[in-house]
Amino acid sequence: LQLKEELAKKATDKYRKIINSMDEGFCLIEIIRDPSGACVDYKYVETNPVFELQTGLKDVTGKTVNELVPDLEPFWKETYGNVASTGESIRFEDYAQPMGRWFDVNSFRIDSPDEQHVAIIFKEITER
């Protein structure tokens, strides 16, 4: 049991080192759905240090996008909700009007469909 815990900790430490060393922003979100199954919000579960620089959002862990960016276009929630539902990864560039920033985004489901977790790796590309 102790060996298993040590191996799990080593794997987690490697994962965090990789995520925290990236030039891109990273976040793990949990999809929140209404009774009809539509994605109406998402909660930030984890981010890397670059996330804040790329988005301008601070102290997001445990908060929802509706709390942080209440007027964010529905496209973002719909897109990430679809990724969680279908398991199909998506790469796109789009403008987040309320944030005043363009993003190059790669998102993909992790874990099982029941958990509704989507990982997002992105780069703010407004200057480009």
Side-chain angles (χ1 to χ4, degrees):
L1 186 60
Q2 184 179 359
L3 179 59
K4 186 177 177 181
E5 288 176 10
E6 287 177 26
L7 291 173
K9 183 178 176 351
K10 283 184 180 181
T12 300
D13 290 348
K14 283 182 183 180
Y15 160 79
R16 289 200 190 287
K17 187 178 242 181
I18 291 166
I19 296 298
N20 289 335
S21 298
M22 296 186 329
D23 291 340
E24 294 85 5
F26 167 83
C27 62
L28 177 62
I29 61 172
E30 182 178 332
I31 301 300
I32 300 169
R33 298 186 184 277
D34 68 12
S36 73
C39 176
V40 293
D41 204 353
Y42 51 86
K43 179 173 59 173
Y44 291 97
V45 177
E46 185 177 342
T47 64
N48 71 349
V50 177
F51 175 93
E52 189 174 304
L53 297 171
Q54 298 280 324
T55 65
L57 301 175
K58 300 179 187 322
D59 190 32
V60 303
T61 304
K63 295 179 183 167
T64 69
V65 76
N66 287 348
E67 291 175 77
L68 298 163
V69 190
D71 49 350
L72 186 66
E73 299 88 352
F75 162 82
W76 297 92
K77 293 174 226 171
E78 292 166 4
T79 300
Y80 299 143
N82 287 339
V83 169
S85 294
T86 67
E88 292 180 27
S89 301
I90 186 170
R91 179 145 201 164
F92 63 92
E93 292 181 1
D94 210 332
Y95 184 69
Q97 171 83 39
M99 299 171 78
R101 297 172 191 232
W102 280 92
F103 293 98
D104 178 4
V105 179
N106 182 13
S107 65
F108 47 95
R109 183 176 72 198
I110 61 169
D111 300 324
S112 71
D114 296 349
E115 295 185 60
Q116 294 292 292
H117 288 153
V118 174
I120 304 166
I121 298 172
F122 64 93
K123 192 157 201 107
E124 192 261 335
I125 57 168
T126 305
E127 286 187 30
R128 187 181 82 186

